[in-house]
Amino acid sequence: MHLFIYGPPGSGKSTIGRILAARLGRSFVDLDAVIEASTRQSIRDIFALEGERGFRLREQKALREAAADVTPCVISLGGGALLDPDNRALAEASGEIVFLQADVATLEGRVAKRPGVRPLLSTAGTGECKTPPAAGSGKPVAQLLSERAEHYGSFPNRVMVSDIPPESTADAVQAVLGWYRVSGMGNAYDIHVVADGFARLQNWLEPLAIGQKTVIVGDAHTLPLYGSRVKAVLEAMGVQASLVMLPAGEAHKTIDAVRQLWNAFLQAGIERKNVVFALGGGVVGDLTGFAAATWLRGIRWVNLPTTLLSMVDAGIGGKTGADLPEGKNLIGAFHPPALVVSDTSTLTSLPLHEWRNGLAEAIKHAIIGDPALLTYMPAFSAFLKQGESLALTPRACAAFVAQAMAVKVRIIQQDPFEKGIRAALNLGHTIGHAIEQVTHFGVSHGEAVAIGTVQEARLAEEIGSAEAGLAARIEALFSSVGLPTALPIGLSVPALKEAMSVDKKKADGLVRFALPVAVGEVRINQVISDHMLGVLVHVQQREA
Ligand code: NAD
């Protein structure tokens, strides 16, 4: 599927298109540049010689050729390219269109910087702009926008452009679309977060050449809910799919479950060229990814996350594994998926406590690197604490998930194998994992991360690396969606410290923390003395 970037003249289509093409690992096509290259004339000269009609014919031809390319590209369009209904139908059939919206003042400023380049804004009587304009003056832009208001208003995927850095506009486009690409750990892979992901699955699977047989791994909740939908997509592609159901929950993230998957792969005759599917939360994803990493020395897998937690966090990044009785995730491998498709409509069946677990990771991501995510929290608070229905449209919900996930994407792009900055994603996890361990998973992963993050913020304040009041602010965020923030009463301090010392992030005999400095900033490699840890826990429990 191509990505078409559309919008009025001056909205930055070429600049944003180029950034997105680089991020998505695609070729970039600037349709105006293609027309100029093919005619060896500037757009302005084509308008002068052939009029708008002549230009539109050339534009239509160039669009047909670009859309016919089987390799997905990012294509920036001229500001009137989709006025023609045939052009629009072609773009909609061959990809997604994102409209860049900008206010008159922003557009005027940009147009004024390059007077005469855009013919409809500087040449009298050649097109929709009937009034002879002075190049770069305000009226023509306003007039063009008003004449095209209905047309421009009809594109559902929209991003507001203003004088923010183009990279930030590109971030917003990716959140609206839910399209990402992760590279740096083996083969690059695409991530799609959309409200109707399963309906579009075939489009994204086809380039993977997955062979004719597969196994879909789910758990006792996800397989009955969504197994047949995914199976139907695969069968329509001529792929024979066997379903394997694991017991649900962290207690079953064991090597026995992995063995069950190896047996299923054996029975289904899964070969090296085949792909297996994980359909579920982080437990199903971690287990299936690990079974895929180890089957025949590594086969490809596709992740279809169905919990908020796995969509924003566990389902991406390529860490796979299983637990041992001695500790969480002690067995594992880096083995990235070949594709991740998060169909956010599956969240409608998610129990409320699983929403909270996912929000714990989303709030963690806001603290690590995107405080803007917190603007969604009032909607989640009303949903989870006041029992109202979720006041987010399916599109807004998908955009929230995509934006929350993007924090992790940006970090794992920089440091795929956790040699440095990726450790920031462990915020709240050093204490959190220990809590899960000591309570034998009586405290869920998200709850443990919420508690762990608040406690780690307290530590950060205690050692003077965080601003005063940070822990209280973070505590309020987690509480607003009904997550716990205090250590469970009666938790054994020695057991907690022991669990942390087994934590795999221990290096050189030290437990290293990622500690928050402010909302939006985390410092990694922070060493906390045993004494300090003990005091904090005791104080906590006394307060409780
Ligand atoms: P989970 O997989 O246990 O799912 C939680 C529950 O929700 C399960 O009962 C599941 O059956 C149910 N469920 C899933 N999707 C559903 C849906 N759409 N409707 C109804 N019920 C549904 O847990 P999780 O919270 O998704 O993931 C936690 C796991 O992820 C932990 O094991 C954690 O260690 C791991 N994790 C891994 C990474 C990583 O980078 N690999 C990162 C973070 C967490």
Side-chain angles (χ1 to χ4, degrees), residues 219 221 250 253 281-283 286 306-307 314 319 328 346 349 354:
D219 70 19
H221 300 136
E250 184 72 34
K253 195 172 133 182
V283 168
D286 280 9
T306 60
T307 60
K319 283 187 184 176
K328 247 181 88 79
T346 60
S349 58
E354 296 302 345

Side-chain angles (χ1 to χ4, degrees), residues 13 201 349 539:
K13 300 181 290 289
L201 193 54
S349 58
V539 169

Side-chain angles (χ1 to χ4, degrees), residues 23-24 171 174 178-183 189-193 311-313 315-317 340 365 401-416 421-422 425:
R23 289 189 188 176
L24 297 171
D171 289 347
Q174 286 192 275
W179 290 11
Y180 296 84
R181 187 167 180 82
V182 178
S183 55
Y189 57 98
D190 289 334
I191 302 173
H192 296 280
V193 184
M311 289 180 190
V312 303
D313 188 350
I316 56 168
V340 180
H365 285 179
V401 174
Q403 192 180 333
M405 184 205 63
V407 173
K408 179 162 178 176
V409 169
R410 280 195 287 276
I411 289 175
I412 58 182
Q413 279 290 103
Q414 290 172 53
D415 177 22
I421 188 64
R422 184 166 177 167
L425 295 169

